[in-house]
Amino acid sequence: MATMKNKMIYEELKSYANSDWYPFHMPGHKRQKYPFDESYSIDITEIDGFDDYHHPEGIIRDAMCHAAEIYGADASYFLVNGSTGGILSAVSAVTEMGDSILMARNCHKSVYNAVFLRNLMPYYVYPQMTQELGIVGGILSADVDKALSVQPDIRAVVIVSPTYEGILSDVDGIAQVCHRHGVPLIVDEAHGAHLPFWKEGPKSALECRADCVIQSLHKTLPSLTQTAIIHWKKGWMKRERLEQYLHIYQSSSPSYVFLAGMQACVEKMDREGRNQLTLHGERMKQFIHRCSVFSVIRVLNSSIIGKAGVHDWDWTRLVIMTKGHQGERLYQMLRDGYHLQMEMATPDYVVAITSMADTEEGLERLFRALAEIDRIWCREEILDGDIIYRSSMDRRGGRQVISPYEASLCEKKKLDWNEAKGTISAETAYIYPPGIPFLMPGEEILQEHLDVLNFYKEMGIQIKGISDPSMKQLQVIERLKGKNG
């Protein structure tokens, strides 16, 4: 028998759970006691009396119908494959193979994967940029209108709202534009599952005439990782088509622990969530106000609303900005020096996910840590630096020469990064989180792409999607399929 040398995942998880590490990251339950902890004893398959996830007629159907009533949707479906499964299903439901689609450039990689699987030709609408902050802003309805007017063959529009940073676009205005052009609007609201229950907060896309809304329950609500929900509204998307693809992209062996957890989460939010979110929203306003005394560190606040296409902002999402490209350093200092685990870091800021399950003690630890780091950095005289992160969302993005799927069929070769300008990319490049590609297969490579690649490399940030782990070469199209060069 082979000697076990690898660490046991379970033991590592238990050790972490019993330590003083505090989670400013998803899942939204923040490791607080779940509604049930008998996971093994209730982990079953689709046996008699427990309904059929892919043809629900009993307890699963009833749970999802009640969820639709709570959310105000015409139909809601629990997702055991996360928001990814919902996004793949929604995009597939409104397109045929080879169609065109309009998507926000800051969409999650799952939308790009749907584009690949359906051999779609993507057209991009770019979010505005907050020039002084380097944070991606909102999508303008006027830009969507212009794109749909120029490309009348576009079959659907996909945007993300709120973003990883809590930025919301004018979904209602965008929905009006989409419907005037006769196309459905799909909203990736993965980071906004709490919005329908938050009376004082931004409106959910469900209230803003979106046709299909996908939410990750686990990101901001007390639900297990990988649980999500998709909402359908009558009018611009055929329900039977959506259900067809949900069957395809969802596991044939759904977790009943997930299903029970999702129902418990939704029911809990219906009973208690509104009051709890009101309280949490108020304490986050106070937290952000307290941070206004910092000299070097800045925490995003409501002053961003109305700028750069920002229609609204989720103030439960902490965006902690730095000077002089200290984002990665701040992330590491909070992690190593204070045992505070953030969600993500960019060169210029850190994102912390908070939820109503956060404790006063955890928030106070974060404030004291930030205050101490701010004092240290004042002595170091940290200076402002040029914000380059915005270049990954540059409005002058490369031309999509061929679809990502067509690019996968072409002959390819590798070039050094700095020799790739003007060629056609054969691979994706992104950092994760947030998982937003800044270079796509089939896209013309511009100098702006290479500048961003080199900057991330210099900052020590791992670029994912590319085939060269040393981050020196890019795979490009050598010859278009069926052509002589």
Side-chain angles (χ1 to χ4, degrees):
M1 183 176 178
T3 303
M4 177 65 73
K5 295 182 179 179
N6 295 331
K7 294 181 179 179
M8 295 293 289
I9 295 175
Y10 175 73
E11 294 301 327
E12 289 294 293
L13 289 171
K14 288 291 290 183
S15 176
Y16 182 75
N18 292 329
S19 72
D20 68 339
W21 285 88
Y22 191 87
F24 281 104
H25 56 82
M26 62 184 81
H29 56 67
K30 299 302 182 85
R31 305 202 311 266
Q32 301 297 318
K33 184 176 175 62
Y34 204 61
F36 43 79
D37 54 11
E38 311 91 351
S39 298
Y40 276 91
S41 64
I42 63 173
D43 186 19
I44 61 170
T45 190
E46 293 165 306
I47 56 178
D48 290 344
F50 284 90
D51 210 357
D52 181 343
Y53 179 63
H54 290 284
H55 188 68
E57 297 177 320
I59 57 174
I60 298 175
R61 178 204 59 193
D62 294 345
M64 295 193 299
C65 285
H66 192 215
E69 291 177 11
I70 291 171
Y71 281 96
D74 291 312
S76 297
Y77 303 89
F78 291 154
L79 301 173
V80 296
N81 284 8
S83 281
T84 294
I87 288 170
L88 292 173
S89 300
V91 173
S92 298
V94 295
T95 60
E96 302 295 342
M97 299 294 289
D99 276 347
S100 298
I101 191 170
L102 180 65
M103 55 186 288
R105 185 64 196 227
N106 60 327
C107 278
H108 186 262
K109 64 179 181 177
S110 57
V111 180
Y112 289 85
N113 288 337
V115 166
F116 176 83
L117 291 171
R118 301 292 287 171
N119 187 20
L120 303 177
M121 175 59 80
Y123 293 94
Y124 300 110
V125 57
Y126 285 79
Q128 303 293 297
M129 293 305 307
T130 56
Q131 296 298 318
E132 74 279 10
L133 302 178
I135 293 173
V136 175
I139 299 292
L140 298 180
S141 59
D143 288 345
V144 175
D145 192 15
K146 180 180 178 181
L148 292 175
S149 298
V150 172
Q151 298 291 340
D153 59 336
I154 287 171
R155 304 291 295 176
V157 175
V158 186
I159 65 169
V160 55
S161 179
T163 65
Y164 231 107
E165 294 81 11
I167 301 299
L168 286 94
S169 296
D170 180 11
V171 175
D172 190 73
I174 294 170
Q176 290 184 54
V177 167
C178 290
H179 297 160
R180 190 169 67 246
H181 285 272
V183 297
L185 173 63
I186 299 168
V187 178
D188 173 0
E189 200 173 73
H191 286 270
H194 58 301
L195 298 183
F197 303 98
W198 189 14
K199 294 179 293 184
E200 299 81 5
K203 285 186 178 181
S204 165
L206 277 168
E207 300 178 70
C208 299
R209 291 184 273 193
D211 303 292
C212 189
V213 179
I214 302 100
Q215 300 168 334
S216 288
L217 296 178
H218 73 94
K219 283 182 169 61
T220 58
L221 296 183
S223 193
L224 291 169
T225 298
Q226 203 174 314
T227 58
I229 192 167
I230 184 169
H231 306 288
W232 171 83
K233 292 283 231 179
K234 294 177 182 177
W236 295 92
M237 176 187 287
K238 293 182 179 178
R239 181 176 178 178
E240 59 271 21
R241 287 268 295 182
L242 177 61
E243 291 181 346
Q244 175 188 358
Y245 285 100
L246 286 171
H247 296 330
I248 293 172
Y249 290 118
Q250 299 262 77
S251 171
S252 60
S253 299
S255 166
Y256 273 82
V257 177
F258 285 0
L259 293 172
M262 284 185 275
Q263 182 184 30
C265 172
V266 172
E267 297 286 345
K268 176 182 176 66
M269 294 305 298
D270 188 41
R271 291 192 312 270
E272 310 166 14
R274 293 167 183 83
N275 290 335
Q276 291 189 20
L277 278 170
T278 294
L279 295 173
H280 180 58
E282 284 303 312
R283 66 177 177 172
M284 293 313 301
K285 274 188 177 180
Q286 294 172 15
F287 182 94
I288 292 168
H289 178 70
R290 291 177 68 194
C291 292
S292 64
V293 300
F294 298 155
S295 299
V296 179
I297 292 172
R298 178 180 175 185
V299 178
L300 190 66
N301 58 46
S302 60
S303 65
I304 196 173
I305 298 174
K307 301 175 182 177
V310 179
H311 182 71
D312 212 334
W313 168 67
D314 174 9
W315 64 88
T316 69
R317 183 61 50 100
L318 289 177
V319 182
I320 307 165
M321 297 168 288
T322 69
K323 297 179 179 180
H325 306 319
Q326 300 293 314
E328 281 285 327
R329 182 185 176 198
L330 176 60
Y331 179 93
Q332 292 297 336
M333 289 177 74
L334 289 170
R335 185 181 187 280
D336 298 338
Y338 302 91
H339 282 194
L340 299 172
Q341 179 63 62
M342 300 295 105
E343 171 67 23
M344 64 168 281
T346 77
D348 298 302
Y349 59 86
V350 168
V351 173
I353 292 180
T354 77
S355 79
M356 62 188 199
D358 276 298
T359 64
E360 295 293 343
E361 177 193 6
L363 290 168
E364 186 61 27
R365 280 178 60 184
L366 177 59
F367 177 80
R368 291 180 179 177
L370 292 175
E372 186 170 357
I373 293 171
D374 188 71
R375 289 193 293 270
I376 293 170
W377 284 0
C378 279
R379 293 195 295 270
E380 291 182 12
E381 297 183 348
I382 297 293
L383 303 175
D384 290 305
D386 293 333
I387 295 171
I388 195 171
Y389 183 66
R390 62 172 174 263
S391 295
S392 65
M393 288 296 154
D394 199 294
R395 296 180 65 80
R396 297 167 292 169
R399 178 172 59 97
Q400 192 77 40
V401 180
I402 56 176
S403 74
Y405 178 76
E406 289 172 325
S408 72
L409 304 178
C410 295
E411 294 184 38
K412 305 170 183 65
K413 63 179 179 181
K414 287 189 175 181
L415 289 178
D416 288 344
W417 280 14
N418 296 317
E419 297 177 4
K421 179 182 176 181
T423 62
I424 302 173
S425 175
E427 55 189 352
T428 307
Y430 63 95
I431 58 173
Y432 193 89
I436 299 168
F438 52 86
L439 183 61
M440 279 294 293
E443 188 173 39
E444 179 186 10
I445 299 174
L446 303 181
Q447 185 60 48
E448 285 84 352
H449 293 122
L450 303 177
D451 291 343
V452 173
L453 287 166
N454 283 315
F455 177 76
Y456 284 147
K457 183 178 179 181
E458 291 171 6
M459 294 295 293
I461 298 174
Q462 185 180 16
I463 300 168
K464 299 189 177 181
I466 59 176
S467 55
D468 180 13
S470 68
M471 298 192 291
K472 295 179 180 179
Q473 293 184 317
L474 280 176
Q475 198 171 65
V476 301
I477 301 299
E478 182 173 28
R479 185 176 292 108
L480 297 177
K481 188 185 180 201
K483 300 185 179 181
N484 294 321

